[in-house]
Amino acid sequence: MGLADWLSLISICLLGALSPGPSLMVILACTAENGRKAGVLASIGHGLGVFIYALAAASGLSYLLNHFQSVFLALQLLGAGLLLWLGLRILKTTFMASQRQADIPSSAKQPAALQYAFRDGFLIAVFNPKIAAFFISLFSQFLEQGQLVMLHLSMAGLAGFIDMAIYVFYAILASTAIVNGLMERYARLRDVIFAVILISLALSLFASNLNLM
């Protein structure tokens, strides 16, 4: 691959990461719920998931998706289920949390919250096979027979790093004093909006995939 190819790959990965979608909503929800560290960890988890899909795409995942459509559909439905679960979890936290839960010291909640943030970021990427389809389409322009594994690792690593960096930027921006102040002022409204968007995305995915069955 020449310099022009690498620059083209970087540009397309940047545009893909900057596009709003379910992943961005999950990162913002993690940041809103548990702060900057949670948002950054969710971003790192998502970047790892993107790296895995990008590497798999470079290694021939297109065969799996083309010949085993049930795998693609199953991943889509799992992704929709994850979005639905996250949305319902936010609603439960907003409206149904008991006083006993609220009295648990924040220092005791934080490690679990951070662990869940990384998990949520990773799973929302893994359960979104459209990411795999994106990289199959993208990498098809650059893959050739006889390429070294290190080249594929470099391409996947670049894609994962760009994705992680963009979402870390979003998480930091969402946790700045001005943005965080506005979000805290309207915390309940914020959480309801995030939950409704996630649930709507989940139902839309369920509807579109079930129509294809």
Side-chain angles (χ1 to χ4, degrees):
M1 287 176 56
L3 178 61
D5 292 328
W6 284 107
L7 291 176
S8 177
L9 180 63
I10 291 172
S11 300
I12 297 173
C13 286
L14 280 171
L15 290 173
L18 287 168
S19 302
S23 296
L24 177 58
M25 294 308 305
V26 171
I27 301 301
L28 293 179
C30 286
T31 305
E33 280 188 291
N34 299 300
R36 178 178 295 183
K37 283 186 179 180
V40 169
L41 280 176
S43 302
I44 294 173
H46 193 274
L48 176 61
V50 166
F51 167 77
I52 291 173
Y53 262 145
L55 182 59
S59 302
L61 183 63
S62 56
Y63 177 86
L64 176 64
L65 294 183
N66 288 332
H67 292 80
F68 297 94
Q69 289 293 323
S70 58
V71 175
F72 188 91
L73 177 61
L75 287 174
Q76 289 272 66
L77 293 176
L78 284 171
L82 177 62
L83 290 174
L84 180 62
W85 177 74
L86 290 172
L88 293 175
R89 188 185 72 182
I90 293 174
L91 285 179
K92 180 181 178 181
T93 301
T94 303
F95 293 111
M96 300 175 63
S98 67
Q99 185 60 41
R100 183 175 60 84
Q101 290 175 315
D103 289 340
I104 298 175
S106 58
S107 59
K109 295 179 181 179
Q110 191 68 2
L114 295 181
Q115 178 185 354
Y116 294 154
F118 179 87
R119 178 202 63 190
D120 292 346
F122 178 74
L123 289 180
I124 197 61
V126 169
F127 289 153
N128 185 3
K130 289 184 178 179
I131 294 177
F134 169 79
F135 283 112
I136 289 170
S137 175
L138 172 60
F139 285 178
S140 65
Q141 306 173 47
F142 306 106
L143 296 178
E144 299 175 0
Q145 288 187 345
Q147 287 179 332
L148 299 176
V149 174
M150 285 304 301
L151 176 61
H152 294 168
L153 281 170
S154 299
M155 295 169 66
L158 178 65
F161 175 78
I162 289 174
D163 179 88
M164 179 193 69
I166 293 297
Y167 284 128
V168 165
F169 169 77
Y170 278 133
I172 292 175
L173 180 64
S175 61
T176 56
I178 295 177
V179 177
N180 189 56
L182 288 173
M183 294 177 74
E184 286 297 324
R185 183 179 301 177
Y186 303 102
R188 176 166 291 189
L189 177 62
R190 172 205 69 197
D191 291 341
V192 170
I193 290 174
F194 280 149
V196 168
I197 291 175
L198 290 172
I199 292 171
S200 298
L201 288 169
L203 295 178
S204 175
L205 284 172
F206 277 126
S208 62
N209 282 291
L210 291 176
N211 286 337
L212 296 175
M213 294 181 64

